[in-house]
Amino acid sequence: MKNIVVLVAVIILIGVFSMQHFGTDKVGWLFAPIVLIWFILIGSVGALNIHKHGSSVLKAYNPVYIYRYFRRNGNSSNTWTVLGGIMLSITGTEALFADLCHFPVLAIQIAFTFIVFPCLLLAYTGQAAYIISNKQHVNDAFYRSIPDAIYWPAFVIATAAAIIASQATISATYSIIKQALALGCFPRVKVVHTSKKFLGQIYIPDINWLLLILCIAVTAGFKNQSQIGNAYGTAVVIVMLVTTFLMVPIMLLVWKSHWILVVTFIVLSLMVELPYFWACILKIDQGGWVPLVIAIAFFIIMYVWHYCTVKRYEFEMHSKVSMAWILGLGPSLGLVRVPGIGFVYTELASGVPHIFSHFITNLPAIHSVVVFVCVKYLPVYTVPVEERFLVRRIGPKNFHIFRCIARYGYKDLHKKDDDFEKMLFDCLTLFIRLESMMDGYSDSDEFSLPEQRTEGSINTAFLADKTVNTMCSNGDLSYSSQDSIVPVQSPLGVNNLLTYSSQTNRTVSNEVEFLNRCRDAGVVHILGNTIVRARRDSGIIKKISVDYLYAFMRRICRENSVMFNIPHESLLNVGQIYYI
């Protein structure tokens, strides 16, 4: 019988995780009525049991009784074991708050105050009243306390509610991984945004199937409800403690609360949480070790990835090529300029990346036109195509070196930009025309270009991250013949500005024609691949972490060529090794 229950549980888990790709909002709309019916059912059954078996159980709300309980039973292990069992009654409500980024805060506050909290109080109080009258049914008091007339409907609803109760934890896991990705603390994984309205509603396929494997392993491995409950209770009480301690810097630094209020909050919170924590610690060997092992494994992964990623980024930042070095090479960069366009992909939004100097140091030729491409994802739903690119010239015109920052919203997929090369080339052409217009001014070194705005458009000057904003002067878009940034708008909006002398038009036509010839000669995508290695004199732990663990994670995570949708037939990887 137990094996059949485990098999059914595994099938249910597979079904739950297979539905996650539909999105939190769709899954919520599908199961929300079931949860509502579930809470109303247990609240009604609890009220019925209180009425049927006596209302004297309401005395349990008096905190004096728990003091008497500990005083009478002493500090024995059985006393703390009972307290650990009580912890399971609040684990579900704690997981509810993990969905704050998936649902409006007001919706969760209303649901918790008027539905969840009163129904849970009635349910547990009713079960206590039933147990007082039927002490022999203590092991399965919940189903025993349900009237026979509604037993099977309640069983079906309870099973459905148990299935979807895991949705909060699953959604919270996606959110944690997404935040870790943003902080550079987790290997690159695919993040799918499932909602246009809520930024936090996401789906991560890799994490989804990893969670499924872990859940099946725990379910099939324990085969015991109490051990799974101990594991869950240990995880939740540790989350509560961590949350309480993290509230201290928020209250002091963000809310500017008085220290007396902070101390009061800490004391009151720890008075409740520490006894439960101690009760769960006593059950470490009864299943509580599972969340600790998983947490340690994820901590090691996140720490190693973050450490190596930061070291790699610091190396790239400190190794940026100076503009004086580029200018000293001359228009030919000291090499043979072969026909064609080279797209050099980099994470740096300013400066010339070290991978470029590494490339031209080892190869005797470089393309006639070089474009440094930096792809940035912004916290907006979508970036209009006409506002997607920021273009800048690096060095004098005869160098033919540009920088392009491609900006995408969280629902814009770079891999669906089949005409990315064409759009980027059109942006370069438009940039050259706009830049030539600025050369017509002689009373100022910097100029501002009026922008056309459409309803719902985004501010092209401020949506890029802080590294992009450093390329702007005093927060405004400024232009000059040597160093200019142009927000690429629709060509129809600037045709009326292109009315300059025939000499200027001839110069623009020559450069545009030069770009066309280079494009016809071929386009090559140059991608840097910095390999991080531990120094020879490093310790054994560091060598294992960097040379094996980090290298393995780099190998299995998404490659930049996949993220940027670079065609393999025109991809050129330039590798270099950095020892830390």
Side-chain angles (χ1 to χ4, degrees):
M1 182 64 180
K2 181 179 294 186
N3 293 332
I4 295 177
V5 173
V6 172
L7 179 61
V8 172
V10 170
I11 294 175
I12 291 175
L13 285 172
I14 294 175
V16 170
F17 283 96
S18 299
M19 297 180 61
Q20 295 301 315
H21 69 279
F22 291 109
T24 306
D25 52 346
K26 296 181 178 61
V27 175
W29 277 109
L30 178 64
F31 291 127
I34 298 177
V35 176
L36 179 62
I37 294 174
W38 163 251
F39 278 117
I40 294 176
L41 173 66
I42 62 175
S44 302
V45 171
L48 179 63
N49 286 322
I50 294 174
H51 174 74
K52 183 178 180 180
H53 299 285
S55 59
S56 60
V57 71
L58 297 177
K59 295 179 181 179
Y61 292 124
N62 189 345
V64 173
Y65 287 97
I66 191 171
Y67 169 75
R68 293 179 179 176
Y69 174 79
F70 277 96
R71 183 178 180 182
R72 182 174 64 250
N73 294 278
N75 195 20
S76 62
S77 59
N78 291 333
T79 304
W80 291 101
T81 301
V82 172
L83 188 62
I86 298 174
M87 180 65 195
L88 297 178
S89 66
I90 62 176
T91 53
T93 57
E94 174 70 16
L96 178 68
F97 288 96
D99 270 346
L100 287 177
C101 61
H102 293 269
F103 300 98
V105 176
L106 182 60
I108 293 183
Q109 290 175 338
I110 294 175
F112 185 86
T113 304
F114 297 102
I115 298 177
V116 178
F117 186 63
C119 289
L120 287 178
L121 284 180
L122 289 173
Y124 289 123
T125 306
Q127 290 182 46
Y130 178 84
I131 291 174
I132 291 176
S133 302
N134 303 273
K135 296 182 176 60
Q136 68 278 13
H137 297 160
V138 65
N139 291 328
D140 54 349
F142 173 73
Y143 287 106
R144 293 276 189 173
S145 63
I146 297 176
D148 295 336
I150 61 171
Y151 178 83
W152 287 111
F155 179 83
V156 173
I157 295 175
T159 303
I163 293 173
I164 65 174
S166 59
Q167 183 60 48
T169 305
I170 296 173
S171 301
T173 303
Y174 295 156
S175 298
I176 293 173
I177 296 299
K178 182 177 181 295
Q179 295 298 324
L181 283 172
L183 296 173
C185 297
F186 201 81
R188 295 184 301 269
V189 292
K190 182 180 180 181
V191 179
V192 179
H193 292 265
T194 59
S195 174
K196 297 180 180 180
K197 186 176 181 181
F198 298 106
L199 177 62
Q201 292 188 3
I202 58 176
Y203 165 68
I204 305 179
D206 299 331
I207 301 300
N208 183 69
W209 303 123
L210 178 61
L211 283 176
L212 173 61
I213 295 173
L214 291 176
C215 289
I216 292 178
V218 171
T219 303
F222 280 153
K223 299 181 181 180
N224 188 299
Q225 181 179 358
S226 63
Q227 289 184 332
I228 296 177
N230 294 336
Y232 189 41
T234 302
V236 171
V237 73
I238 293 177
V239 169
M240 294 172 63
L241 277 175
V242 172
T243 304
T244 299
F245 285 114
L246 288 179
M247 282 295 296
V248 175
I250 293 177
M251 296 179 70
L252 291 175
L253 303 178
V254 180
W255 296 347
K256 306 295 184 182
S257 301
H258 196 275
W259 67 271
I260 296 180
L261 181 62
V262 176
V263 172
T264 303
F265 168 78
I266 289 294
V267 171
L268 294 179
S269 299
L270 294 182
M271 285 177 60
V272 177
E273 295 170 1
L274 285 180
Y276 286 115
F277 175 74
W278 180 250
C280 292
I281 287 298
L282 296 177
K283 297 184 178 182
I284 291 294
D285 59 337
Q286 303 176 26
W289 58 270
V290 173
L292 297 180
V293 171
I294 296 176
I296 292 173
F298 271 87
F299 173 78
I300 294 175
I301 292 174
M302 295 174 66
Y303 179 81
V304 171
W305 182 267
H306 180 261
Y307 174 78
C308 296
T309 301
V310 169
K311 291 296 183 181
R312 177 171 169 264
Y313 185 77
E314 289 177 351
F315 165 73
E316 294 180 355
M317 285 293 295
H318 295 159
S319 303
K320 288 193 303 183
V321 179
S322 65
M323 200 64 217
W325 184 79
I326 294 292
L327 295 175
L329 296 176
S332 65
L333 301 180
L335 302 168
V336 178
R337 301 296 294 269
V338 298
I341 299 179
F343 288 152
V344 182
Y345 290 82
T346 174
E347 297 179 3
L348 304 179
S350 62
V352 178
H354 179 264
I355 194 68
F356 179 70
S357 64
H358 184 71
F359 176 78
I360 64 178
T361 301
N362 291 274
L363 292 178
I366 192 64
H367 300 87
S368 299
V369 177
V370 177
V371 182
F372 297 105
V373 181
C374 179
V375 179
K376 293 293 183 181
Y377 287 90
L378 310 180
V380 294
Y381 170 66
T382 184
V383 177
V385 176
E386 63 272 12
E387 299 181 359
R388 178 154 296 169
F389 298 97
L390 291 177
V391 181
R392 175 184 183 180
R393 186 187 294 275
I394 299 179
K397 290 184 179 180
N398 54 358
F399 277 47
H400 302 296
I401 302 179
F402 303 89
R403 180 189 310 283
C404 177
I405 299 176
R407 304 176 299 175
Y408 290 84
Y410 59 83
K411 285 293 285 183
D412 294 326
L413 296 180
H414 186 198
K415 67 179 182 180
K416 290 188 176 181
D417 270 347
D418 299 327
D419 298 329
F420 179 78
E421 292 182 11
K422 181 181 181 302
M423 289 191 299
L424 184 52
F425 182 81
D426 292 340
C427 291
L428 292 176
T429 303
L430 183 57
F431 169 81
I432 293 172
R433 297 183 183 277
L434 294 175
E435 185 187 42
S436 66
M437 292 162 37
M438 298 300 102
D439 290 341
Y441 292 90
S442 59
D443 56 342
S444 176
D445 292 333
E446 294 185 344
F447 320 98
S448 296
L449 180 69
E451 298 179 22
Q452 289 186 345
R453 294 293 179 189
T454 56
E455 183 179 355
S457 67
I458 60 174
N459 190 322
T460 58
F462 299 106
L463 276 181
D465 64 350
K466 60 182 180 181
T467 57
V468 178
N469 288 335
T470 59
M471 302 181 342
C472 300
S473 175
N474 298 324
D476 298 326
L477 290 177
S478 303
Y479 310 88
S480 67
S481 59
Q482 297 295 329
D483 186 6
S484 56
I485 305 174
V486 173
V488 177
Q489 302 285 346
S490 174
L492 296 178
V494 295
N495 283 340
N496 58 335
L497 298 177
L498 303 178
T499 56
Y500 279 90
S501 63
S502 59
Q503 182 179 0
T504 303
N505 290 333
R506 216 169 22 249
T507 303
V508 173
S509 300
N510 291 338
E511 188 165 8
V512 171
E513 184 180 354
F514 176 76
L515 286 177
N516 286 324
R517 290 199 307 267
C518 292
R519 182 182 62 173
D520 296 337
V523 176
V524 176
H525 300 264
I526 303 172
L527 190 63
N529 185 21
T530 302
I531 300 175
V532 179
R533 295 284 178 85
R535 291 191 179 96
R536 293 183 178 180
D537 56 348
S538 302
I540 184 66
I541 297 179
K542 185 176 182 179
K543 287 184 177 180
I544 294 176
S545 301
V546 177
D547 295 344
Y548 295 97
L549 182 57
Y550 178 74
F552 174 75
M553 290 188 291
R554 279 289 303 272
R555 201 157 38 242
I556 65 173
C557 73
R558 301 184 73 202
E559 296 182 356
N560 286 331
S561 59
V562 176
M563 297 174 62
F564 296 150
N565 193 36
I566 299 176
H568 289 281
E569 59 273 12
S570 59
L571 172 63
L572 177 60
N573 265 310
V574 180
Q576 55 184 348
I577 299 178
Y578 171 54
Y579 292 95
I580 60 175

